[in-house]
PDB file of all heavy atoms in Angstrom:
ATOM      1  N   SER A 891     -58.749  35.865 -43.467  1.00 89.00           N
ATOM      2  CA  SER A 891     -59.626  34.765 -43.091  1.00 89.00           C
ATOM      3  C   SER A 891     -59.337  34.359 -41.638  1.00 89.00           C
ATOM      4  O   SER A 891     -58.878  33.251 -41.362  1.00 89.00           O
ATOM      5  CB  SER A 891     -59.387  33.595 -44.054  1.00 89.00           C
ATOM      6  OG  SER A 891     -60.368  32.621 -43.855  1.00 89.00           O
ATOM      7  N   PRO A 892     -59.577  35.303 -40.701  1.00 92.00           N
ATOM      8  CA  PRO A 892     -59.232  35.036 -39.302  1.00 92.00           C
ATOM      9  C   PRO A 892     -60.105  33.919 -38.718  1.00 92.00           C
ATOM     10  O   PRO A 892     -61.273  33.801 -39.076  1.00 92.00           O
ATOM     11  CB  PRO A 892     -59.517  36.368 -38.608  1.00 92.00           C
ATOM     12  CG  PRO A 892     -60.524  37.046 -39.490  1.00 92.00           C
ATOM     13  CD  PRO A 892     -60.260  36.587 -40.878  1.00 92.00           C
ATOM     14  N   LYS A 893     -59.494  33.130 -37.851  1.00 95.00           N
ATOM     15  CA  LYS A 893     -60.226  31.992 -37.271  1.00 95.00           C
ATOM     16  C   LYS A 893     -60.808  32.379 -35.917  1.00 95.00           C
ATOM     17  O   LYS A 893     -60.150  33.024 -35.102  1.00 95.00           O
ATOM     18  CB  LYS A 893     -59.272  30.801 -37.094  1.00 95.00           C
ATOM     19  CG  LYS A 893     -58.672  30.290 -38.399  1.00 95.00           C
ATOM     20  CD  LYS A 893     -59.701  29.518 -39.221  1.00 95.00           C
ATOM     21  CE  LYS A 893     -59.283  29.287 -40.659  1.00 95.00           C
ATOM     22  NZ  LYS A 893     -59.289  30.455 -41.551  1.00 95.00           N
ATOM     23  N   LYS A 894     -62.005  31.917 -35.703  1.00 96.00           N
ATOM     24  CA  LYS A 894     -62.717  32.217 -34.461  1.00 96.00           C
ATOM     25  C   LYS A 894     -61.927  31.722 -33.240  1.00 96.00           C
ATOM     26  O   LYS A 894     -61.777  32.431 -32.243  1.00 96.00           O
ATOM     27  CB  LYS A 894     -64.078  31.518 -34.538  1.00 96.00           C
ATOM     28  CG  LYS A 894     -65.066  31.939 -33.497  1.00 96.00           C
ATOM     29  CD  LYS A 894     -66.390  31.239 -33.764  1.00 96.00           C
ATOM     30  CE  LYS A 894     -66.982  30.799 -32.440  1.00 96.00           C
ATOM     31  NZ  LYS A 894     -67.898  29.708 -32.548  1.00 96.00           N
ATOM     32  N   GLU A 895     -61.403  30.497 -33.354  1.00 96.00           N
ATOM     33  CA  GLU A 895     -60.692  29.894 -32.218  1.00 96.00           C
ATOM     34  C   GLU A 895     -59.458  30.729 -31.865  1.00 96.00           C
ATOM     35  O   GLU A 895     -59.161  30.947 -30.693  1.00 96.00           O
ATOM     36  CB  GLU A 895     -60.249  28.455 -32.532  1.00 96.00           C
ATOM     37  CG  GLU A 895     -61.393  27.474 -32.763  1.00 96.00           C
ATOM     38  CD  GLU A 895     -62.169  27.722 -34.054  1.00 96.00           C
ATOM     39  OE1 GLU A 895     -61.598  28.304 -35.015  1.00 96.00           O
ATOM     40  OE2 GLU A 895     -63.373  27.380 -34.096  1.00 96.00           O
ATOM     41  N   LYS A 896     -58.762  31.192 -32.895  1.00 96.00           N
ATOM     42  CA  LYS A 896     -57.561  31.993 -32.651  1.00 96.00           C
ATOM     43  C   LYS A 896     -57.949  33.313 -32.003  1.00 96.00           C
ATOM     44  O   LYS A 896     -57.305  33.774 -31.054  1.00 96.00           O
ATOM     45  CB  LYS A 896     -56.830  32.270 -33.961  1.00 96.00           C
ATOM     46  CG  LYS A 896     -55.885  31.191 -34.372  1.00 96.00           C
ATOM     47  CD  LYS A 896     -54.995  31.749 -35.470  1.00 96.00           C
ATOM     48  CE  LYS A 896     -53.936  30.763 -35.883  1.00 96.00           C
ATOM     49  NZ  LYS A 896     -53.137  31.255 -36.994  1.00 96.00           N
ATOM     50  N   ALA A 897     -58.993  33.945 -32.516  1.00 96.00           N
ATOM     51  CA  ALA A 897     -59.449  35.229 -31.955  1.00 96.00           C
ATOM     52  C   ALA A 897     -59.773  35.042 -30.473  1.00 96.00           C
ATOM     53  O   ALA A 897     -59.378  35.848 -29.629  1.00 96.00           O
ATOM     54  CB  ALA A 897     -60.663  35.727 -32.718  1.00 96.00           C
ATOM     55  N   GLU A 898     -60.465  33.950 -30.170  1.00 97.00           N
ATOM     56  CA  GLU A 898     -60.838  33.699 -28.766  1.00 97.00           C
ATOM     57  C   GLU A 898     -59.603  33.523 -27.893  1.00 97.00           C
ATOM     58  O   GLU A 898     -59.533  34.012 -26.768  1.00 97.00           O
ATOM     59  CB  GLU A 898     -61.732  32.454 -28.673  1.00 97.00           C
ATOM     60  CG  GLU A 898     -63.155  32.753 -29.122  1.00 97.00           C
ATOM     61  CD  GLU A 898     -63.997  31.501 -29.338  1.00 97.00           C
ATOM     62  OE1 GLU A 898     -63.458  30.367 -29.209  1.00 97.00           O
ATOM     63  OE2 GLU A 898     -65.195  31.657 -29.663  1.00 97.00           O
ATOM     64  N   LEU A 899     -58.617  32.831 -28.454  1.00 96.00           N
ATOM     65  CA  LEU A 899     -57.378  32.589 -27.713  1.00 96.00           C
ATOM     66  C   LEU A 899     -56.653  33.906 -27.424  1.00 96.00           C
ATOM     67  O   LEU A 899     -56.264  34.191 -26.288  1.00 96.00           O
ATOM     68  CB  LEU A 899     -56.485  31.661 -28.549  1.00 96.00           C
ATOM     69  CG  LEU A 899     -55.202  31.188 -27.887  1.00 96.00           C
ATOM     70  CD1 LEU A 899     -55.546  30.169 -26.787  1.00 96.00           C
ATOM     71  CD2 LEU A 899     -54.272  30.544 -28.916  1.00 96.00           C
ATOM     72  N   PHE A 900     -56.533  34.752 -28.427  1.00 96.00           N
ATOM     73  CA  PHE A 900     -55.844  36.043 -28.244  1.00 96.00           C
ATOM     74  C   PHE A 900     -56.593  36.924 -27.239  1.00 96.00           C
ATOM     75  O   PHE A 900     -55.987  37.680 -26.491  1.00 96.00           O
ATOM     76  CB  PHE A 900     -55.699  36.792 -29.569  1.00 96.00           C
ATOM     77  CG  PHE A 900     -54.857  36.070 -30.588  1.00 96.00           C
ATOM     78  CD1 PHE A 900     -55.170  36.108 -31.943  1.00 96.00           C
ATOM     79  CD2 PHE A 900     -53.730  35.338 -30.191  1.00 96.00           C
ATOM     80  CE1 PHE A 900     -54.394  35.436 -32.882  1.00 96.00           C
ATOM     81  CE2 PHE A 900     -52.944  34.667 -31.123  1.00 96.00           C
ATOM     82  CZ  PHE A 900     -53.281  34.715 -32.468  1.00 96.00           C
ATOM     83  N   GLU A 901     -57.893  36.811 -27.246  1.00 96.00           N
ATOM     84  CA  GLU A 901     -58.682  37.660 -26.338  1.00 96.00           C
ATOM     85  C   GLU A 901     -58.494  37.270 -24.873  1.00 96.00           C
ATOM     86  O   GLU A 901     -58.754  38.071 -23.977  1.00 96.00           O
ATOM     87  CB  GLU A 901     -60.172  37.579 -26.711  1.00 96.00           C
ATOM     88  CG  GLU A 901     -60.489  38.380 -27.963  1.00 96.00           C
ATOM     89  CD  GLU A 901     -61.890  38.141 -28.516  1.00 96.00           C
ATOM     90  OE1 GLU A 901     -62.586  37.218 -28.021  1.00 96.00           O
ATOM     91  OE2 GLU A 901     -62.288  38.836 -29.441  1.00 96.00           O
ATOM     92  N   LYS A 902     -58.049  36.025 -24.667  1.00 95.00           N
ATOM     93  CA  LYS A 902     -57.831  35.573 -23.286  1.00 95.00           C
ATOM     94  C   LYS A 902     -56.654  36.315 -22.641  1.00 95.00           C
ATOM     95  O   LYS A 902     -56.494  36.290 -21.430  1.00 95.00           O
ATOM     96  CB  LYS A 902     -57.561  34.070 -23.278  1.00 95.00           C
ATOM     97  CG  LYS A 902     -58.804  33.241 -23.569  1.00 95.00           C
ATOM     98  CD  LYS A 902     -58.744  31.874 -22.876  1.00 95.00           C
ATOM     99  CE  LYS A 902     -60.040  31.114 -23.063  1.00 95.00           C
ATOM    100  NZ  LYS A 902     -60.015  30.257 -24.267  1.00 95.00           N
ATOM    101  N   SER A 903     -55.834  36.974 -23.452  1.00 94.00           N
ATOM    102  CA  SER A 903     -54.622  37.589 -22.914  1.00 94.00           C
ATOM    103  C   SER A 903     -54.878  38.908 -22.185  1.00 94.00           C
ATOM    104  O   SER A 903     -53.984  39.498 -21.623  1.00 94.00           O
ATOM    105  CB  SER A 903     -53.602  37.804 -24.033  1.00 94.00           C
ATOM    106  OG  SER A 903     -54.154  38.706 -24.968  1.00 94.00           O
ATOM    107  N   PHE A 904     -56.080  39.410 -22.220  1.00 94.00           N
ATOM    108  CA  PHE A 904     -56.367  40.622 -21.425  1.00 94.00           C
ATOM    109  C   PHE A 904     -57.834  40.608 -20.983  1.00 94.00           C
ATOM    110  O   PHE A 904     -58.675  39.923 -21.573  1.00 94.00           O
ATOM    111  CB  PHE A 904     -56.005  41.895 -22.198  1.00 94.00           C
ATOM    112  CG  PHE A 904     -56.826  42.158 -23.441  1.00 94.00           C
ATOM    113  CD1 PHE A 904     -57.735  43.214 -23.468  1.00 94.00           C
ATOM    114  CD2 PHE A 904     -56.699  41.377 -24.581  1.00 94.00           C
ATOM    115  CE1 PHE A 904     -58.484  43.470 -24.601  1.00 94.00           C
ATOM    116  CE2 PHE A 904     -57.453  41.624 -25.720  1.00 94.00           C
ATOM    117  CZ  PHE A 904     -58.340  42.669 -25.727  1.00 94.00           C
ATOM    118  N   ASP A 905     -58.115  41.384 -19.931  1.00 95.00           N
ATOM    119  CA  ASP A 905     -59.454  41.346 -19.342  1.00 95.00           C
ATOM    120  C   ASP A 905     -60.397  42.265 -20.128  1.00 95.00           C
ATOM    121  O   ASP A 905     -60.760  43.348 -19.676  1.00 95.00           O
ATOM    122  CB  ASP A 905     -59.363  41.787 -17.864  1.00 95.00           C
ATOM    123  CG  ASP A 905     -60.735  41.782 -17.206  1.00 95.00           C
ATOM    124  OD1 ASP A 905     -61.684  41.184 -17.778  1.00 95.00           O
ATOM    125  OD2 ASP A 905     -60.876  42.411 -16.135  1.00 95.00           O
ATOM    126  N   TYR A 906     -60.781  41.801 -21.293  1.00 95.00           N
ATOM    127  CA  TYR A 906     -61.600  42.679 -22.148  1.00 95.00           C
ATOM    128  C   TYR A 906     -63.022  42.852 -21.622  1.00 95.00           C
ATOM    129  O   TYR A 906     -63.657  43.871 -21.840  1.00 95.00           O
ATOM    130  CB  TYR A 906     -61.611  42.159 -23.592  1.00 95.00           C
ATOM    131  CG  TYR A 906     -62.421  40.903 -23.806  1.00 95.00           C
ATOM    132  CD1 TYR A 906     -63.793  40.974 -24.006  1.00 95.00           C
ATOM    133  CD2 TYR A 906     -61.818  39.645 -23.808  1.00 95.00           C
ATOM    134  CE1 TYR A 906     -64.541  39.829 -24.186  1.00 95.00           C
ATOM    135  CE2 TYR A 906     -62.563  38.513 -23.994  1.00 95.00           C
ATOM    136  CZ  TYR A 906     -63.925  38.602 -24.171  1.00 95.00           C
ATOM    137  OH  TYR A 906     -64.664  37.476 -24.342  1.00 95.00           O
ATOM    138  N   GLU A 907     -63.510  41.835 -20.891  1.00 96.00           N
ATOM    139  CA  GLU A 907     -64.919  41.918 -20.469  1.00 96.00           C
ATOM    140  C   GLU A 907     -65.185  43.131 -19.586  1.00 96.00           C
ATOM    141  O   GLU A 907     -66.162  43.851 -19.768  1.00 96.00           O
ATOM    142  CB  GLU A 907     -65.350  40.630 -19.765  1.00 96.00           C
ATOM    143  CG  GLU A 907     -65.708  39.565 -20.788  1.00 96.00           C
ATOM    144  CD  GLU A 907     -65.886  38.182 -20.194  1.00 96.00           C
ATOM    145  OE1 GLU A 907     -65.721  38.030 -18.968  1.00 96.00           O
ATOM    146  OE2 GLU A 907     -66.165  37.264 -20.974  1.00 96.00           O
ATOM    147  N   THR A 908     -64.265  43.353 -18.625  1.00 96.00           N
ATOM    148  CA  THR A 908     -64.415  44.521 -17.749  1.00 96.00           C
ATOM    149  C   THR A 908     -64.340  45.801 -18.576  1.00 96.00           C
ATOM    150  O   THR A 908     -65.117  46.750 -18.364  1.00 96.00           O
ATOM    151  CB  THR A 908     -63.274  44.536 -16.696  1.00 96.00           C
ATOM    152  OG1 THR A 908     -63.254  43.264 -16.068  1.00 96.00           O
ATOM    153  CG2 THR A 908     -63.498  45.603 -15.652  1.00 96.00           C
ATOM    154  N   MET A 909     -63.417  45.799 -19.542  1.00 97.00           N
ATOM    155  CA  MET A 909     -63.246  47.009 -20.358  1.00 97.00           C
ATOM    156  C   MET A 909     -64.466  47.277 -21.240  1.00 97.00           C
ATOM    157  O   MET A 909     -64.861  48.435 -21.441  1.00 97.00           O
ATOM    158  CB  MET A 909     -61.987  46.883 -21.213  1.00 97.00           C
ATOM    159  CG  MET A 909     -60.742  46.756 -20.366  1.00 97.00           C
ATOM    160  SD  MET A 909     -59.287  46.602 -21.379  1.00 97.00           S
ATOM    161  CE  MET A 909     -58.727  48.250 -21.341  1.00 97.00           C
ATOM    162  N   VAL A 910     -65.064  46.215 -21.721  1.00 98.00           N
ATOM    163  CA  VAL A 910     -66.284  46.369 -22.527  1.00 98.00           C
ATOM    164  C   VAL A 910     -67.387  46.977 -21.655  1.00 98.00           C
ATOM    165  O   VAL A 910     -68.076  47.940 -22.049  1.00 98.00           O
ATOM    166  CB  VAL A 910     -66.726  45.000 -23.119  1.00 98.00           C
ATOM    167  CG1 VAL A 910     -68.172  45.031 -23.598  1.00 98.00           C
ATOM    168  CG2 VAL A 910     -65.802  44.598 -24.268  1.00 98.00           C
ATOM    169  N   ASP A 911     -67.530  46.425 -20.441  1.00 97.00           N
ATOM    170  CA  ASP A 911     -68.572  46.951 -19.543  1.00 97.00           C
ATOM    171  C   ASP A 911     -68.320  48.414 -19.182  1.00 97.00           C
ATOM    172  O   ASP A 911     -69.248  49.224 -19.137  1.00 97.00           O
ATOM    173  CB  ASP A 911     -68.650  46.111 -18.259  1.00 97.00           C
ATOM    174  CG  ASP A 911     -69.293  44.758 -18.534  1.00 97.00           C
ATOM    175  OD1 ASP A 911     -69.989  44.634 -19.565  1.00 97.00           O
ATOM    176  OD2 ASP A 911     -69.079  43.818 -17.736  1.00 97.00           O
ATOM    177  N   MET A 912     -67.041  48.721 -18.931  1.00 96.00           N
ATOM    178  CA  MET A 912     -66.688  50.110 -18.581  1.00 96.00           C
ATOM    179  C   MET A 912     -67.018  51.063 -19.741  1.00 96.00           C
ATOM    180  O   MET A 912     -67.521  52.169 -19.540  1.00 96.00           O
ATOM    181  CB  MET A 912     -65.176  50.221 -18.302  1.00 96.00           C
ATOM    182  CG  MET A 912     -64.729  49.653 -16.977  1.00 96.00           C
ATOM    183  SD  MET A 912     -65.473  50.537 -15.608  1.00 96.00           S
ATOM    184  CE  MET A 912     -64.527  52.051 -15.691  1.00 96.00           C
ATOM    185  N   ALA A 913     -66.700  50.606 -20.930  1.00 96.00           N
ATOM    186  CA  ALA A 913     -66.951  51.456 -22.107  1.00 96.00           C
ATOM    187  C   ALA A 913     -68.441  51.771 -22.226  1.00 96.00           C
ATOM    188  O   ALA A 913     -68.829  52.921 -22.476  1.00 96.00           O
ATOM    189  CB  ALA A 913     -66.446  50.759 -23.373  1.00 96.00           C
ATOM    190  N   VAL A 914     -69.269  50.751 -22.003  1.00 97.00           N
ATOM    191  CA  VAL A 914     -70.716  50.968 -22.111  1.00 97.00           C
ATOM    192  C   VAL A 914     -71.183  51.906 -20.993  1.00 97.00           C
ATOM    193  O   VAL A 914     -71.992  52.816 -21.207  1.00 97.00           O
ATOM    194  CB  VAL A 914     -71.494  49.628 -22.054  1.00 97.00           C
ATOM    195  CG1 VAL A 914     -73.006  49.863 -22.105  1.00 97.00           C
ATOM    196  CG2 VAL A 914     -71.060  48.714 -23.198  1.00 97.00           C
ATOM    197  N   GLU A 915     -70.623  51.683 -19.809  1.00 96.00           N
ATOM    198  CA  GLU A 915     -71.010  52.500 -18.656  1.00 96.00           C
ATOM    199  C   GLU A 915     -70.624  53.974 -18.850  1.00 96.00           C
ATOM    200  O   GLU A 915     -71.363  54.877 -18.466  1.00 96.00           O
ATOM    201  CB  GLU A 915     -70.296  51.943 -17.426  1.00 96.00           C
ATOM    202  CG  GLU A 915     -71.005  52.234 -16.117  1.00 96.00           C
ATOM    203  CD  GLU A 915     -70.344  51.442 -15.005  1.00 96.00           C
ATOM    204  OE1 GLU A 915     -70.371  50.186 -15.067  1.00 96.00           O
ATOM    205  OE2 GLU A 915     -69.767  52.083 -14.124  1.00 96.00           O
ATOM    206  N   ASN A 916     -69.476  54.190 -19.449  1.00 93.00           N
ATOM    207  CA  ASN A 916     -68.973  55.564 -19.585  1.00 93.00           C
ATOM    208  C   ASN A 916     -69.377  56.251 -20.887  1.00 93.00           C
ATOM    209  O   ASN A 916     -68.766  57.232 -21.302  1.00 93.00           O
ATOM    210  CB  ASN A 916     -67.444  55.582 -19.472  1.00 93.00           C
ATOM    211  CG  ASN A 916     -67.014  55.230 -18.065  1.00 93.00           C
ATOM    212  OD1 ASN A 916     -67.723  55.520 -17.113  1.00 93.00           O
ATOM    213  ND2 ASN A 916     -65.859  54.588 -17.950  1.00 93.00           N
ATOM    214  N   VAL A 917     -70.408  55.732 -21.509  1.00 93.00           N
ATOM    215  CA  VAL A 917     -70.858  56.319 -22.781  1.00 93.00           C
ATOM    216  C   VAL A 917     -71.286  57.779 -22.579  1.00 93.00           C
ATOM    217  O   VAL A 917     -71.820  58.137 -21.526  1.00 93.00           O
ATOM    218  CB  VAL A 917     -72.028  55.474 -23.352  1.00 93.00           C
ATOM    219  CG1 VAL A 917     -73.237  55.487 -22.423  1.00 93.00           C
ATOM    220  CG2 VAL A 917     -72.437  55.963 -24.732  1.00 93.00           C
ATOM    221  N   ASN A 918     -71.018  58.591 -23.574  1.00 91.00           N
ATOM    222  CA  ASN A 918     -71.513  59.975 -23.575  1.00 91.00           C
ATOM    223  C   ASN A 918     -72.575  60.101 -24.650  1.00 91.00           C
ATOM    224  O   ASN A 918     -72.271  59.969 -25.837  1.00 91.00           O
ATOM    225  CB  ASN A 918     -70.367  60.948 -23.888  1.00 91.00           C
ATOM    226  CG  ASN A 918     -69.474  61.141 -22.692  1.00 91.00           C
ATOM    227  OD1 ASN A 918     -69.934  61.483 -21.609  1.00 91.00           O
ATOM    228  ND2 ASN A 918     -68.184  60.893 -22.874  1.00 91.00           N
ATOM    229  N   SER A 919     -73.794  60.343 -24.214  1.00 92.00           N
ATOM    230  CA  SER A 919     -74.894  60.366 -25.186  1.00 92.00           C
ATOM    231  C   SER A 919     -75.405  61.785 -25.374  1.00 92.00           C
ATOM    232  O   SER A 919     -75.673  62.475 -24.391  1.00 92.00           O
ATOM    233  CB  SER A 919     -76.038  59.485 -24.687  1.00 92.00           C
ATOM    234  OG  SER A 919     -75.542  58.188 -24.423  1.00 92.00           O
ATOM    235  N   ILE A 920     -75.514  62.204 -26.611  1.00 92.00           N
ATOM    236  CA  ILE A 920     -76.062  63.536 -26.879  1.00 92.00           C
ATOM    237  C   ILE A 920     -77.055  63.461 -28.044  1.00 92.00           C
ATOM    238  O   ILE A 920     -77.018  62.524 -28.837  1.00 92.00           O
ATOM    239  CB  ILE A 920     -74.969  64.590 -27.209  1.00 92.00           C
ATOM    240  CG1 ILE A 920     -74.076  64.130 -28.356  1.00 92.00           C
ATOM    241  CG2 ILE A 920     -74.127  64.903 -25.993  1.00 92.00           C
ATOM    242  CD1 ILE A 920     -73.045  65.173 -28.766  1.00 92.00           C
TER     243      ILE A 920
END
Side-chain angles (χ1 to χ4, degrees):
S891 190
K893 298 286 166 288
K894 192 176 139 204
E895 296 69 25
K896 274 194 176 176
E898 283 167 356
L899 186 72
F900 297 143
E901 285 170 351
K902 288 210 175 91
S903 63
F904 65 110
D905 179 15
Y906 72 84
E907 278 169 359
T908 308
M909 298 180 99
V910 163
D911 287 340
M912 285 297 287
V914 177
E915 206 170 297
N916 292 329
V917 63
N918 284 306
S919 305
I920 54 177

